[in-house]
Amino acid sequence: MEENHAECPPVAASTYPPPTTPTATSIDYGPADIDPIRVEYAVDWRDLVAVWFRAGDVDRVLAIIDCESSGRWNAVGPPIGSTGMQALGLLQHLDGYWPSRARNAAAAGYANDGDIWSPTDQMAVSAWLAYQTPQGFGHWVCDPGADR
């Protein structure tokens, strides 16, 4: 039985990049009101995920995207305790850690422009975290492959 997704179209390509670009001293947290996207749309990122992740990890990463942001490149998580940090973007990277992680990923050959809102940059930094850091996929609480 085929589902009708007519009332929930995927995010149009024209919604990226955000209207304002974050600067080195501030982060644009995107729109305050974001319409929810059906979970099935997380799979729309498959091709981009496949560029950065090993074939055997693509479905795992799509499940993380599904859980973390429902496939929304502009997802904003709630503030985290007393840290003042927020999880942002497709894979919900913490804004306080992002600048150093993006630099470290780029230095290790995972090319990115350091744009936390860019799905491509999120993939590059995420692949570096997953494959080149001791915590690996443990960076995401939504990791379906984690040993719990």
Side-chain angles (χ1 to χ4, degrees):
M1 179 175 182
E2 189 173 313
E3 291 186 55
N4 180 356
H5 297 286
E7 64 275 353
C8 296
V11 175
S14 63
T15 61
Y16 183 81
T20 58
T21 303
T23 65
T25 57
S26 68
I27 293 179
D28 172 13
Y29 288 96
D33 299 318
I34 300 173
D35 293 331
I37 296 173
R38 291 180 59 114
V39 171
E40 295 87 9
Y41 293 124
V43 299
D44 288 344
W45 298 104
R46 180 176 294 280
D47 290 344
L48 183 59
V49 171
V51 168
W52 292 97
F53 289 88
R54 297 174 189 144
D57 291 327
V58 170
D59 287 335
R60 181 181 193 178
V61 174
L62 289 171
I64 292 170
I65 291 170
D66 177 17
C67 178
E68 294 283 356
S69 68
S70 296
R72 294 175 295 147
W73 65 265
N74 57 356
V76 177
I80 299 173
S82 62
T83 68
M85 289 192 275
Q86 282 189 288
L88 305 174
L90 195 59
L91 282 144
Q92 293 289 280
H93 285 276
L94 295 176
D95 56 358
Y97 296 135
W98 177 262
S100 65
R101 288 179 174 173
R103 279 191 306 273
N104 290 339
Y110 292 79
N112 71 86
D113 293 322
D115 181 357
I116 199 166
W117 295 112
S118 163
T120 300
D121 289 1
Q122 287 249 339
M123 292 300 160
V125 174
S126 297
W128 173 76
L129 287 170
Y131 298 134
Q132 303 297 322
T133 65
Q135 196 174 351
F137 280 96
H139 285 280
W140 295 274
V141 293
C142 286
D143 178 20
D147 296 328
R148 301 204 191 269

